Amino acid sequence: MTTDTPARLLTLLSLLQTPREWPGGELADRLGVSRRTVRRDIDRLRELGYPVQATKGTDGGYRLVAGKAMPPLVLDDEEAVAIAVGLRAGAGHAVEGLDEASVRALAKLEQVLPGRLRHRVTTLQAATTPLTSGDGPSIAPETLTVMASTVAGHERLRFAYRAADGTESRRLTEPYRLVSTGRRWYLVAYDLDRDDWRTFRVDRVSEPFATGARFTPRELPTGSAAEYLRRSMQRQQPTYDFEVTFAAPADFVAARLPAWLGTPEPVDEHSCRLRGSVGDATPWVAFRLAMLECDFTVHEPRELVDAVRDLGARLSRAAGAGA
C-alpha cells in the first residue's frame, strides 16, 4: 500500500494522463489503496487544477480531459526520454514548424531531467542518425537550449562566433529571440561590445555560456525579431522580387512551402500566384519549388528563372544517363 500521499498523487496523475478511462477499482489496485482513497485523491487533483472527469456505473471510471489551462505534466522515465530525443533530433536542424517555443520546451525538459535519464538521451541520440532534408546546417541541441534559456531568463550570453569570412571573435550579448527561417536558426541579440543590435547564425556559434547576469530587455527597433532578421538579411545580400504561378489551389501550395516565402493568393479554384522576395539562394528556392509536385511557372526574376532552368537541365541529364 502506498502511504506517501504526494508520491501516490503523482502516480495517479501519471496513470490518468494515459488517454483512456480508468475504472475506480483498477486505480485502487494499481495504487494499493481503497476506492474511497482514490476518490479523495481525485478530489485533491481537481483542487490543484487537473480536470478529472468521472463517469457513473457499476465501477465508476475516471479520465483526464482537456482544460482551459495546462497544469504540470508528469512523465515516466520512458516518456521523458522519448520526448527529449525527439526534440533534440528536430532542434538540431532548422525544421519548418519547429520554432522557438519547441526549443524552449527542450531547454526546460533537459533542465529537470535526472542525470541517469540525461545520459540515456545522449547515448540514444549518439547511436542514431536522423534522415533529414540536408538543406540546412546541423546544430548541437545543447547550443540551442543554452540560448533559449538565456532568452527566456533575460540572461546575458557569451559565445565564440565565426563570421562568413572566417574571422573569429568573442561576443557578449543580451539575447532577444531565436528565429528559424526554415533552413537555419538565427539569434537576434544586442551586442554589448558593439553597442548595437546584431543577428548571428547559430551554426557559426560555439562555446555558448550563460553568464548569470540578468538584464532588462531593450526595445527592438522593428518590434519583431523576424522582421529585424529579414531586413538584416536584405542589407547583407542582394534581393529579388519574384512571381510564380502554380497549377494547384492556394491551400495546397501554402501547406508545402515555408511561410517565409510568402502566402499564395488564389487565381481561381485550380491555380494560385505567389509574390515575394528572395536573396541570393535562388538555387535552393528553385529546388523547393520543384518539390511541390505540381506544375508552376516562374515569371520573375531572371535569376530564379535561370536557376529553375539549370535544375531542370541537370535532372534531365541525370535521367538520360540511366536510360
Side-chain angles (χ1 to χ4, degrees), residues 13-37:
L13 182 56
S14 180
L15 292 172
L16 290 174
Q17 285 176 342
T18 302
R20 54 161 288 192
E21 183 170 302
W22 289 88
E26 186 174 350
L27 287 176
D29 291 340
R30 288 286 193 108
L31 298 173
V33 296
S34 66
R35 296 189 184 190
R36 181 179 179 182
T37 299

Side-chain angles (χ1 to χ4, degrees), residues 185-245:
W185 282 102
Y186 290 85
L187 173 70
V188 176
Y190 191 86
D191 191 320
L192 293 170
D193 294 326
R194 289 154 181 77
D195 196 25
D196 199 3
W197 289 95
R198 291 288 190 273
T199 60
F200 302 95
R201 269 181 50 173
V202 177
D203 58 294
R204 294 176 179 167
V205 169
S206 61
E207 304 174 43
F209 175 72
T211 65
R214 305 287 177 176
F215 66 89
T216 300
R218 304 169 190 261
E219 184 176 351
L220 192 65
T222 59
S224 162
E227 177 63 18
Y228 182 83
L229 175 62
R230 186 185 68 81
R231 294 184 185 182
S232 176
M233 294 175 70
Q234 286 181 343
R235 291 194 299 268
Q236 296 173 15
Q237 61 186 22
T239 58
Y240 309 94
D241 293 332
F242 70 87
E243 180 178 350
V244 184
T245 55

Side-chain angles (χ1 to χ4, degrees), residues 81-140:
V81 169
I83 292 174
V85 169
L87 287 173
R88 274 189 169 207
H93 301 265
V95 180
E96 294 163 25
L98 181 68
D99 57 12
E100 184 193 346
S102 299
V103 178
R104 290 202 310 269
L106 176 60
K108 290 178 180 178
L109 181 58
E110 294 207 339
Q111 183 179 8
V112 299
L113 276 180
R116 68 180 193 282
L117 297 186
R118 191 176 295 110
H119 176 71
R120 285 178 58 187
V121 170
T122 302
T123 301
L124 182 56
Q125 186 182 34
T128 58
T129 300
L131 179 62
T132 58
S133 61
D135 57 2
S138 60
I139 303 168

Side-chain angles (χ1 to χ4, degrees), residues 1-186:
M1 176 177 178
T2 305
T3 57
D4 185 344
T5 301
R8 191 178 64 246
L9 286 176
L10 288 174
T11 302
L12 173 60
L13 182 56
S14 180
L15 292 172
L16 290 174
Q17 285 176 342
T18 302
R20 54 161 288 192
E21 183 170 302
W22 289 88
E26 186 174 350
L27 287 176
D29 291 340
R30 288 286 193 108
L31 298 173
V33 296
S34 66
R35 296 189 184 190
R36 181 179 179 182
T37 299
V38 169
R39 289 194 293 270
R40 288 202 302 265
D41 288 348
I42 292 292
D43 289 338
R44 291 190 180 98
L45 290 179
R46 288 170 175 160
E47 292 172 359
L48 293 172
Y50 292 93
V52 182
Q53 184 180 71
T55 57
K56 297 181 179 180
T58 55
D59 192 12
Y62 302 93
R63 67 185 306 158
L64 198 63
V65 298
K68 295 182 179 179
M70 187 183 73
L73 295 174
V74 176
L75 303 173
D76 62 28
D77 286 3
E78 300 301 325
E79 293 167 340
V81 169
I83 292 174
V85 169
L87 287 173
R88 274 189 169 207
H93 301 265
V95 180
E96 294 163 25
L98 181 68
D99 57 12
E100 184 193 346
S102 299
V103 178
R104 290 202 310 269
L106 176 60
K108 290 178 180 178
L109 181 58
E110 294 207 339
Q111 183 179 8
V112 299
L113 276 180
R116 68 180 193 282
L117 297 186
R118 191 176 295 110
H119 176 71
R120 285 178 58 187
V121 170
T122 302
T123 301
L124 182 56
Q125 186 182 34
T128 58
T129 300
L131 179 62
T132 58
S133 61
D135 57 2
S138 60
I139 303 168
E142 294 81 1
T143 298
L144 282 173
T145 55
V146 169
M147 288 184 164
S149 297
T150 58
V151 168
H154 302 153
E155 186 177 351
R156 288 180 177 175
L157 176 70
R158 189 185 301 277
F159 53 86
Y161 191 70
R162 175 179 49 82
D165 61 2
T167 303
E168 297 186 355
S169 60
R170 303 288 301 183
R171 303 298 183 95
L172 178 61
T173 64
E174 294 178 351
Y176 185 79
R177 287 290 187 278
L178 281 166
V179 182
S180 170
T181 65
R183 297 180 66 212
R184 297 187 177 97
W185 282 102
Y186 290 85

